[in-house]
């Protein structure tokens, strides 16, 4: 299953602090030797201020209670730097902690800046010190303090680039604290800025969208409404185009969301076309399963892929946590995926066969005969499929379903304007890229 691990592709698109939860999961699943995970943690920690944590990992990696002198010296430097930054930011921190004084702030930033300078002698230097203090707190692993100070900093900051940087930091902190509702709000704020901001080049904007989608995985596979919202974000033309050009591995998560989300079937047909287009640039058992069912109509291969999908889900850092504990509606993601996967096979198989042997169908659904019969009876009762079971012959009889010509015409033309818009957008972005290169 390590062959299907996407961590090496995902990690470069995350803040280094966001990589630690992935490594913890992989260590728990034992996908890699324990020493490899500890080595990776040490390499990440060397670029942060979490020196105490780095010392603990060093002891575990080298099986010793001693730590190098440079770690001891580094810890002293971090403590001294933290105290210095705290002193520099203290005038503004004290003001913000004074509830009566804090209420003097208004929505207009310029008024706030002038009021702070005139009444409390707080100017740009102290505001910048607050940002540096918040950033240092984050690097030390104090995500709660960092989130609070970054929020306050953004209420005073007039530099759009620095304000966006603080918003990314606030988003990371909320994710690491598992505050999923707040994290979703911050995610939407970042998205709004990315989509409306004027970037130096279209490529920079695409890169920001790719970062946003990677960070969003933490939220969407933990938030109650995440499986719907990931489709809303990833399936937008601009974001789907970014996936296809620079991050096709994200198709795994969009595919999983489509499988477990019965309410998004109208968009599902177009997504199958994307799976077909991208099969040469990215494949895993989840995308291959959909291709087997809806492109190749190879149901024996689909059955094999369905079993592999279960392993992929269990060992994926984002999907695996919900695979067994319970999904968005307290249903394990693995069970929900497999149930809908069987439904996909059944629906597609029934549409191309009028009479189906129950034993053959049970085999393709990876169930025994009795389980398959109960499952199909329940499905027919709740589904729109016009079918009945002949118990004497052990077959499922499908009523012929002739396609409506007018519905087919509407289906083929309704997305024409969307595809035209997408084509024009791609041409304009290409032209802007060439102009920027000149």
């Amino acid at each position: 299953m390590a062959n299907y691990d996407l961590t090496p592709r995902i990690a470069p698109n995350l803040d280094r602090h966001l990589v630690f939860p992935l490594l913890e999961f992989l260590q728990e699943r034992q996908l890699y030797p324990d020493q490899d995970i500890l080595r990776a943690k040490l390499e990440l920690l060397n670029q942060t201020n979490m020196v105490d944590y780095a010392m603990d990992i060093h002891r575990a990696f080298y099986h010793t209670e001693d730590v190098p002198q440079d770690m001891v010296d580094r810890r002293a430097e971090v403590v001294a730097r933290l105290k210095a930054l705290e002193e520099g930011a203290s005038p503004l921190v004290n003001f913000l902690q004074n509830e009566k004084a804090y209420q003097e702030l208004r929505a207009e930033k310029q008024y706030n800046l002038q009021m702070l300078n005139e009444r409390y002698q707080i100017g740009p230097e102290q505001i910048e010190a607050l940002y540096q203090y918040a950033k240092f707190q984050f690097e030390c692993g104090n995500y709660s303090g960092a989130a609070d100070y970054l929020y306050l900093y953004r209420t005073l900051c007039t530099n759009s680039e620095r304000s966006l940087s603080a918003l990314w930091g606030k988003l990371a902190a909320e994710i690491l604290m598992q505050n999923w509702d707040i994290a979703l709000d911050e995610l939407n704020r970042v998205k709004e800025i990315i989509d409306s901001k004027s970037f130096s080049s279209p490529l920079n904007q695409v890169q920001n969208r790719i970062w946003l989608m990677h960070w969003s995985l933490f939220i969407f596979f933990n938030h109650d409404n995440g499986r719907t919202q990931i489709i809303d974000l990833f399936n937008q033309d601009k974001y789907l185009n970014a996936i296809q050009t620079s991050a096709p591995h994200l198709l795994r998560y969009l595919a999983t969301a489509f499988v477990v989300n019965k309410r998004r079937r109208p968009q599902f047909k177009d997504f199958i076309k994307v799976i077909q287009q991208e099969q040469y640039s990215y494949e895993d058992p989840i995308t291959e399963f959909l291709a087997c069912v809806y492109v190749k109509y190879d149901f024996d291969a689909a059955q094999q892929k369905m079993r592999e999908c279960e392993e992929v889900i269990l060992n994926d850092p984002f999907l695996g946590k919900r695979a067994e504990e319970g999904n968005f509606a307290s249903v394990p993601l693995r069970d929900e995926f497999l149930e809908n996967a069987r439904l996909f096979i059944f629906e597609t198989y029934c549409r191309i066969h009028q009479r189906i042997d129950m034993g053959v169908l049970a085999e393709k659904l990876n169930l025994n005969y009795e389980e398959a019969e109960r499952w199909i009876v329940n499905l027919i009762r709740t589904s729109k499929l016009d079918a009945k079971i002949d118990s004497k012959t052990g077959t499922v009889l499908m009523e012929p379903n002739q396609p409506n010509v007018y519905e087919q015409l509407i289906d083929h033309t309704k997305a024409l304007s969307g595809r035209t818009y997408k084509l024009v957008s791609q041409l304009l972005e290409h032209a802007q890229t060439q102009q920027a290169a000149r």
Side-chain angles (χ1 to χ4, degrees):
M1 280 296 109
N3 293 333
Y4 296 119
D5 176 33
L6 295 180
T7 305
R9 296 194 189 190
I10 291 173
N13 295 287
L14 301 175
D15 180 275
R16 61 179 63 92
H17 290 252
L18 294 175
V19 180
F20 287 111
L22 307 189
L23 295 178
E24 292 288 347
F25 178 87
L26 295 176
Q27 189 172 21
E28 180 185 321
R29 281 289 193 267
Q30 298 181 340
L31 252 63
Y32 299 95
D34 201 52
Q35 288 296 98
D36 290 353
I37 298 293
L38 291 173
R39 184 184 295 108
K41 287 183 179 180
L42 269 179
E43 291 175 359
L44 280 175
L45 287 166
N46 287 337
Q47 303 173 61
T48 73
N49 294 326
M50 296 190 291
V51 187
D52 289 339
Y53 185 25
M55 288 179 174
D56 291 338
I57 299 300
H58 182 277
R59 294 185 184 102
F61 183 74
Y62 290 102
H63 306 288
T64 179
E65 289 301 314
D66 299 325
V67 294
Q69 185 60 40
D70 62 338
M71 278 192 167
V72 177
D73 295 341
R74 169 72 175 148
R75 189 182 190 283
E77 291 175 8
V78 168
V79 171
R81 176 65 176 157
L82 183 61
K83 288 182 178 179
L85 289 171
E86 186 176 10
E87 290 178 7
S90 60
L92 188 49
V93 171
N94 292 335
F95 167 81
L96 296 170
Q97 290 175 343
N98 184 327
E99 186 175 346
K100 184 177 179 180
Y102 183 71
Q103 289 176 351
E104 297 182 46
L105 294 177
R106 299 181 183 176
E108 298 87 0
K109 288 186 179 181
Q110 290 301 329
Y111 168 84
N112 293 335
L113 294 173
Q114 184 176 352
M115 182 270 293
L116 286 171
N117 191 34
E118 291 177 353
R119 298 186 190 177
Y120 299 95
Q121 292 74 53
I122 295 175
E125 185 178 342
Q126 287 74 31
I127 295 174
E128 173 64 19
L130 179 65
Y131 173 80
Q132 296 298 335
Y133 182 52
K135 185 178 178 182
F136 202 83
Q137 288 276 12
F138 182 88
E139 290 299 330
C140 290
N142 180 10
Y143 305 123
S144 177
D148 290 341
Y149 294 135
L150 287 171
Y151 170 79
L152 296 170
Y153 171 79
R154 292 192 70 245
T155 64
L156 301 172
C157 177
T158 56
N159 183 308
S160 60
E161 291 294 333
R162 183 57 70 82
S163 180
L164 178 57
S165 174
L167 185 55
W168 277 106
K170 176 76 158 51
L171 171 59
E174 299 297 350
I175 290 173
L176 289 161
M177 291 188 293
Q178 300 183 19
N179 294 331
W180 304 123
D181 288 333
I182 300 174
L184 180 60
D185 291 339
E186 302 298 356
L187 181 80
N188 289 329
R189 290 188 181 95
V190 175
K191 178 185 180 296
E192 184 179 347
I193 294 174
I194 290 174
D195 290 343
S196 61
K197 185 177 180 293
S198 178
F199 285 82
S200 57
S201 77
L203 291 178
N204 288 341
Q205 189 172 36
V206 169
Q207 183 59 63
N208 273 263
R209 288 190 175 120
I210 290 170
W211 288 335
L212 185 73
M213 286 187 285
H214 282 87
W215 291 36
S216 74
L217 296 175
F218 291 95
I219 302 168
F220 290 144
F221 286 102
N222 283 284
H223 194 276
D224 290 342
N225 199 33
R227 60 179 170 181
T228 298
Q229 302 216 18
I230 189 174
I231 295 174
D232 292 340
L233 176 63
F234 284 28
N235 209 43
Q236 290 181 32
D237 283 344
K238 293 178 180 179
Y239 286 83
L240 188 57
N241 185 48
I243 291 174
Q244 291 180 269
T245 55
S246 303
H249 55 274
L250 291 177
L251 290 173
R252 170 186 294 182
Y253 303 103
L254 185 53
T256 301
F258 268 118
V259 171
V260 300
N261 196 325
K262 298 175 182 177
R263 292 177 293 176
R264 295 308 174 99
R265 293 298 172 84
Q267 299 165 279
F268 186 56
K269 290 182 181 179
D270 290 333
F271 178 66
I272 293 300
K273 295 175 185 176
V274 174
I275 292 291
Q276 188 175 8
Q277 292 168 1
E278 299 302 322
Q279 60 184 331
Y280 300 106
S281 60
Y282 178 76
E283 277 187 334
D284 67 23
I286 295 176
T287 62
E288 287 180 282
F289 167 77
L290 293 178
C292 287
V293 175
Y294 292 102
V295 179
K296 303 172 185 176
Y297 301 111
D298 186 343
F299 300 103
D300 291 331
Q303 180 190 357
Q304 174 61 34
K305 293 301 175 186
M306 190 167 67
R307 287 194 289 266
E308 294 177 14
C309 286
E310 184 175 7
E311 290 299 316
V312 170
I313 290 171
L314 286 172
N315 290 289
D316 183 281
F318 298 104
L319 307 177
K321 282 195 172 182
R322 291 292 178 177
E324 294 174 311
E325 320 174 338
N327 192 21
F328 318 91
S330 299
V331 178
L333 178 60
R334 174 184 58 181
D335 295 351
E336 191 169 10
F337 184 97
L338 294 177
E339 176 70 13
N340 285 342
R342 290 191 185 101
L343 177 61
F344 286 3
I345 292 175
F346 179 74
E347 287 180 336
T348 308
Y349 194 80
C350 288
R351 285 194 175 99
I352 59 178
H353 296 83
Q354 190 170 351
R355 181 184 291 270
I356 308 160
D357 182 88
M358 186 76 75
V360 173
L361 192 55
E363 182 182 348
K364 296 190 182 302
L365 294 174
N366 199 26
L367 298 170
N368 63 43
Y369 190 94
E370 290 75 17
E371 289 173 336
E373 186 174 24
R374 287 196 300 269
W375 188 82
I376 293 169
V377 167
N378 182 61
L379 182 63
I380 291 174
R381 286 174 180 166
T382 58
S383 173
K384 296 179 181 178
L385 289 173
D386 191 2
K388 61 183 179 180
I389 294 177
D390 186 338
S391 300
K392 291 182 180 180
T393 59
T395 56
V396 179
L397 301 176
M398 300 298 301
E399 294 296 328
N401 184 16
Q402 300 296 334
N404 185 302
V405 176
Y406 298 104
E407 288 180 359
Q408 285 185 313
L409 181 62
I410 292 171
D411 186 54
H412 284 298
T413 58
K414 66 182 179 180
L416 186 60
S417 61
R419 290 197 295 269
T420 302
Y421 172 79
K422 182 178 180 179
L423 179 61
V424 171
S425 298
Q426 289 175 342
L427 289 172
L428 289 173
E429 287 187 7
H430 179 68
Q432 291 174 352
T433 303
Q434 286 189 324
Q435 186 176 3
R438 292 174 186 170

